Amino acid sequence: MTTPLTVLQLIEDTAAQLEAAGLSLANGFGQGTLNAFDEAAWLVLWRLGLPLDDLDGVANQPVDQQNQARVATLLGARISSRKPLAYLTNEAWLQGVPFYVDERVIIPRSFIAELIVDESIDPWLSESTHQVLDLCTGNASLAILAAMAYPDVVIDAADISADALAVARINVDKHGLADRITLVESDGLAACTGLYDLILCNPPYVNAATMAALPAEFKAEPALALASGSDGMDFIRSLFLTAARHMSENAVLVLEIGNERENFECAFPTLEPLWFETSGGPDQVLLLTRQQLQ
């Protein structure tokens, strides 16, 4: 009779299979995990119904053959479909908070979430900060994290995609925030009627060359939420034309641009934003004041 594997052994075996299948950070990770072991841990612990944040506590727990088979089935789907694991589990975590996801939205991974939770944005807020906009909200994860961090604000969560807003509704209701978060179907700022004290925006910003080279996992995400013209700046150009008129006097815009700083600076050479330090580096997220955008 085969000796049951422990949870840790099963994770290690799963990680080895992911690596053997050719998955890597450049070819399939980056949508919740950054390496094969973390991806395997997420896959195994989720499939077994074990806490995702307590591997040490369950590492030596035996896994019977039936449950090993269940893990193998999910692993097979992950490798053969090249779908992100979050789509296979319908769950993603951001800053320790769980969110429902499916193919209608990109998988939440914004560095703005870090800045909300670690209070990096707080110096630009005040007692008069009440109206917040999460533009390009996707599954509403940033809006929800902002509502949790700033209990005195109300938030408009806007997206051009009705499908994305349907997912956002699931998450807003899941976290009991329907009284503070209003979902708005809007092409950019077109249908946003508020005068906002803070705008959070993780927009489409991927340039055309990068889009063409994306691995299958990223191509499984809605292109509408990723692609933004030849240099990745098309949405941002449009945003900057009207952003100031939607901002209160002391408002700020916190904008994520990923790895597009060079294209951003080429497109907007006169702007001098503040750049935040994040786990992704010092050039992923920037801040602009209303005065700079006028």
Side-chain angles (χ1 to χ4, degrees):
M1 186 171 180
T2 304
T3 303
L5 295 176
T6 66
V7 170
L8 180 58
Q9 288 170 333
L10 184 55
I11 289 171
E12 291 171 340
D13 180 64
T14 300
Q17 292 186 62
L18 288 169
E19 290 180 335
L23 295 180
S24 66
L25 178 57
N27 192 32
F29 299 139
Q31 294 163 303
T33 63
L34 294 177
N35 57 66
F37 182 87
D38 288 350
E39 182 101 349
W42 177 15
L43 187 155
V44 170
L45 293 172
W46 182 87
R47 182 70 283 174
L48 297 179
L50 298 172
L52 299 184
D53 59 353
D54 187 27
L55 174 55
D56 289 345
V58 299
N60 294 318
Q61 182 174 312
V63 182
D64 62 29
Q65 290 188 336
Q66 181 179 0
N67 278 313
Q68 288 181 41
R70 295 173 69 225
V71 168
T73 298
L74 180 57
L75 174 61
R78 172 70 181 89
I79 291 172
S80 63
S81 71
R82 284 303 201 263
K83 282 187 178 182
L85 184 56
Y87 289 161
L88 297 174
T89 64
N90 293 126
E91 185 175 78
W93 292 71
L94 192 61
Q95 294 297 308
V97 179
F99 297 99
Y100 174 87
V101 295
D102 61 32
E103 286 89 342
R104 292 174 290 179
V105 294
I106 64 170
I107 296 159
R109 51 185 176 269
S110 174
F111 293 113
I112 294 174
E114 295 179 13
L115 304 175
I116 293 170
V117 171
D118 71 13
E119 303 180 351
S120 293
I121 300 171
D122 288 19
W124 286 270
L125 309 180
S126 70
E127 291 182 355
S128 63
T129 302
H130 296 301
Q131 300 285 333
V132 175
L133 171 64
D134 175 23
L135 186 59
C136 307
T137 193
N139 79 332
S141 52
L142 290 183
I144 289 165
L145 290 174
M148 292 175 172
Y150 314 130
D152 296 326
V153 309
V154 292
I155 301 167
D156 285 349
D159 204 288
I160 191 174
S161 168
D163 282 344
L165 291 173
V167 176
R169 169 55 60 200
I170 293 170
N171 284 309
V172 169
D173 292 346
K174 172 187 176 77
H175 290 286
L177 289 166
D179 59 333
R180 294 178 52 212
I181 298 177
T182 301
L183 302 180
V184 181
E185 187 174 343
S186 181
D187 184 355
L189 291 165
C192 298
T193 58
L195 192 64
Y196 301 105
D197 306 308
L198 170 65
I199 298 177
L200 306 172
C201 185
N202 181 25
Y205 55 67
V206 181
N207 69 67
T210 300
M211 281 296 298
L214 287 176
E217 282 83 353
F218 289 88
K219 288 181 178 176
E221 295 184 306
L224 182 66
L226 296 171
S228 195
S230 61
D231 66 350
M233 293 295 112
D234 283 3
F235 180 92
I236 296 171
R237 286 188 185 90
S238 176
L239 171 64
F240 284 179
L241 291 176
T242 58
R245 71 184 70 161
H246 291 270
M247 300 169 73
S248 61
E249 182 178 359
N250 296 314
V252 294
L253 165 68
V254 177
L255 178 69
E256 183 157 336
I257 63 162
N259 296 313
E260 303 288 346
R261 180 169 180 169
E262 182 177 350
N263 284 333
F264 178 89
E265 291 179 338
C266 287
F268 312 106
T270 62
L271 285 179
E272 296 182 357
L274 168 86
W275 294 92
F276 287 104
E277 184 70 45
T278 72
S279 63
D283 53 7
Q284 301 278 322
V285 183
L286 60 90
L287 179 145
L288 290 164
T289 65
R290 177 179 179 270
Q291 288 71 29
Q292 288 175 293
L293 290 166
Q294 281 182 306

